[in-house]
Amino acid sequence: MAASDMVILDKPQQKDLDKCVHCGLCLNACPTYRQIGLEMDSPRGRIYQMNLVANGAPITDSYVEHLELCLACRGCETACPSGVQYGRLIEAARAEIETKVPRGPMARFARWAVFEKLLPSRTNLRIAAAGLWFLQKTGLQSLARATGILNLFGRLGDVERLSPKAELPTFFAQYGKVFPAEGPRRKKVALLGGCIANISFARLNEATVRVLQKNGCEVHVPDDQTCCGALHLHQGLRDQTRILARQNIDALLNGGYDAIITNAAGCGSTLKEYHEILEHDSAYAGKAKQFSALVKDVTEYLDSIGLTPPMKPLKATVTYQDSCHLAHGQKVRIAPRNLMRAIPGLEFREMPGSDICCGSAGVYNVVQNEMAMGLLDKKMNSVALTKADIIATANPGCLLQLRAGAEMRKTGQRVVHVVELLDEAYK
Ligand code: SF4
Ligand code: SF4
């Protein structure tokens, strides 16, 4: 890619900014604006600030702070009648900050360690899984929780509560395998295992394979796949996302798959945008378009091919939290609800404001913990109104966040992925 393309691409484009007519109809859909009521922390206010920078204003600390407080949940995009693609704007603005604002040594080290060395590396993720597992098994994690010692270090207690757990064996053990369809083969699909999901949601990934098999899908777990780059993209690390995108395209595009499936809405949203991320890469632009067209969220795909009816009744009540990157990013809202309604015995109860962000948002709940916990508190109030036994969602990050909410409120509710409910009903 030519360097000039990079400059054009990695900052908000004036034509995208100009779509905003400042009507304010998005304000009430914005979780950060609802929480603190500041115009500069609303979509309209953030677009206004991006416009100033696009027209020569300097990138100040205040600009960075207001943009970093944005969840990139894209609730404003759904609410906007003028078709403003806010997700595109915030990703480009963060990429511009990343290239123009120097970070301190600690921040640089943390970004290098997490985004370059951990997430794309199977070996390092396995080492991390072993470390997490050790903490869990030795009881050190429980001890720290029980004593509340981490609360002595600011919000470390809350952050620890949100941390993923290791599930051994990891899902990496399934890489390179093919799982046959049950009954006649209807479809041939590839499953993306994710990055952290391979070590912290290994059982969810296995459940996803089983449910796809039950629905006549031959499931391939290609060995050469890698992290999708969603977390990198949300942090403004677009070049690293591009490297990962090219690797996934090379690993998956020529497999003859009917669909490329993910059970993580945050990943799906980025995978469906590979064609935008690589639009100026002449070698990959066309391939990225084909790739993105094949990507489906697992709920979207199962609903579209027609669900084999689940047999075992589940006697429970369930409510559903829309994952932002599924509802707002991919516009998939009905499919997960249809799947849950197809389970005999399961009573579905809609919660108010189900499409308002729970505060998870990738690594947001760690780096903006105070805002994230405030949003979670409100979300748990909405959940409580439904009196449901189970909270279902469609994204691993939301699962972690809502599990922390259920734990803090001691509600005893199970928090599960929609696919896990189907898996139970098929057993
Ligand atoms: S983003 Fe859309 S809804 Fe919000 S102020 Fe601009 S035009 Fe109005
Ligand atoms: S992406 Fe979410 S948090 Fe950010 S401005 Fe839009 S609605 Fe607000």
Side-chain angles (χ1 to χ4, degrees):
M1 186 189 305
S4 57
D5 288 340
M6 296 284 298
V7 176
I8 291 166
L9 191 60
D10 290 340
K11 66 179 188 181
Q13 299 298 294
Q14 196 60 53
K15 66 175 172 32
D16 294 331
L17 292 166
D18 287 345
K19 284 189 189 159
C20 177
V21 296
H22 320 294
C23 64
L25 290 173
C26 53
L27 265 60
N28 198 39
C30 175
T32 57
Y33 181 75
R34 289 164 69 105
Q35 195 76 358
I36 49 183
L38 283 180
E39 174 71 17
M40 288 301 116
D41 287 309
S42 76
R44 182 173 63 183
R46 290 184 177 117
I47 292 170
Y48 173 78
Q49 295 168 83
M50 288 179 207
N51 238 318
L52 291 179
V53 169
N55 287 285
I59 293 179
T60 60
D61 289 350
S62 149
Y63 176 70
V64 174
E65 277 165 27
H66 290 303
L67 264 62
E68 283 186 346
L69 200 63
C70 171
L71 295 137
C73 68
R74 295 167 67 173
C76 49
E77 211 171 292
T78 299
C80 176
S82 301
V84 172
Q85 288 176 284
Y86 183 87
R88 192 177 159 96
L89 287 172
I90 187 73
E91 281 168 9
R94 285 182 174 165
E96 186 180 23
I97 290 171
E98 198 55 35
T99 50
K100 292 188 178 165
V101 178
R103 306 247 170 208
M106 276 306 290
R108 279 208 309 277
F109 174 76
R111 288 166 104 72
W112 170 81
V114 174
F115 294 107
E116 281 188 49
K117 292 296 159 196
L118 178 65
L119 299 180
S121 163
R122 215 174 286 184
T123 307
N124 291 342
L125 281 168
R126 279 188 158 131
I127 293 168
L132 268 177
W133 185 84
F134 176 79
L135 279 178
Q136 287 160 214
K137 287 297 157 192
T138 53
L140 283 176
Q141 201 173 28
S142 312
L143 185 68
R145 236 178 238 195
T147 58
I149 193 166
L150 294 175
N151 294 328
L152 297 175
F153 303 94
R155 306 193 70 88
L156 207 54
D158 282 342
V159 172
E160 187 276 334
R161 198 175 276 115
L162 294 163
S163 66
K165 298 195 172 40
E167 292 182 354
L168 299 185
T170 71
F171 191 70
F172 287 128
Q174 312 306 331
Y175 273 41
K177 293 186 183 170
V178 177
F179 299 86
E182 278 193 26
R185 187 181 98 166
R186 296 163 70 199
K187 303 285 178 188
K188 175 184 171 186
V189 303
L191 179 69
L192 285 168
C195 51
I196 293 171
N198 281 297
I199 63 173
S200 292
F201 290 93
R203 305 293 83 79
L204 165 60
N205 280 355
E206 289 166 4
T208 305
V209 171
R210 285 192 294 271
V211 170
L212 285 165
Q213 287 179 286
K214 278 274 178 206
N215 282 277
C217 297
E218 178 182 285
V219 185
H220 295 238
V221 185
D223 199 30
D224 292 339
Q225 63 175 293
T226 186
C227 164
C228 70
L231 292 173
H232 302 77
L233 188 66
H234 298 155
Q235 293 301 306
L237 303 166
R238 286 180 85 101
D239 282 343
Q240 287 178 29
T241 308
R242 289 185 182 108
I243 293 168
L244 298 170
R246 290 186 196 104
Q247 188 175 331
N248 278 326
I249 290 170
D250 289 343
L252 291 145
L253 188 60
N254 296 323
Y257 304 120
D258 295 306
I260 296 167
I261 304 285
T262 173
N263 58 22
C267 304
S269 186
T270 296
L271 292 159
K272 287 181 179 180
E273 286 168 18
Y274 273 6
H275 63 292
E276 289 184 12
I277 298 160
L278 293 170
E279 66 186 332
H280 293 260
D281 181 333
S282 52
Y284 277 85
K287 288 193 265 187
K289 224 176 216 173
Q290 292 171 38
F291 182 95
S292 292
L294 283 174
V295 174
K296 302 283 175 227
D297 181 80
V298 64
T299 61
E300 173 187 24
Y301 194 63
L302 288 169
D303 194 43
S304 74
I305 64 173
L307 192 69
T308 304
M311 300 308 292
K312 192 181 119 184
L314 295 184
K315 291 273 174 233
T317 51
V318 64
T319 191
Y320 177 67
Q321 164 64 18
D322 284 283
S323 163
C324 297
H325 283 96
L326 196 58
H328 305 303
Q330 301 178 55
K331 317 292 180 212
V332 176
R333 290 166 178 264
I334 305 296
R337 290 170 167 83
N338 283 348
L339 299 183
M340 285 185 285
R341 287 194 167 111
I343 298 173
L346 189 66
E347 185 191 330
F348 180 71
R349 293 182 184 169
E350 197 69 69
M351 84 164 93
S354 64
D355 66 350
I356 294 176
C357 185
C358 63
S360 168
V363 294
Y364 186 96
N365 52 6
V366 175
V367 295
Q368 300 287 351
N369 187 258
E370 190 175 350
M371 174 64 79
M373 298 319 275
L375 295 174
L376 178 59
D377 196 48
K378 283 202 170 138
K379 182 56 62 184
M380 295 311 293
N381 290 343
S382 301
V383 167
L385 293 174
T386 70
K387 297 190 170 55
D389 311 319
I390 300 172
I391 309 169
T393 187
N395 187 47
C398 310
L399 287 170
L400 288 177
Q401 179 84 345
L402 294 166
R403 277 176 193 161
E407 189 189 313
M408 283 189 293
R409 295 250 177 139
K410 301 193 190 329
T411 63
Q413 287 161 307
R414 285 206 300 143
V415 181
V416 296
H417 195 290
V418 173
V419 160
E420 290 175 302
L421 289 174
L422 285 173
D423 187 46
E424 285 174 35
Y426 280 129
K427 274 177 186 161

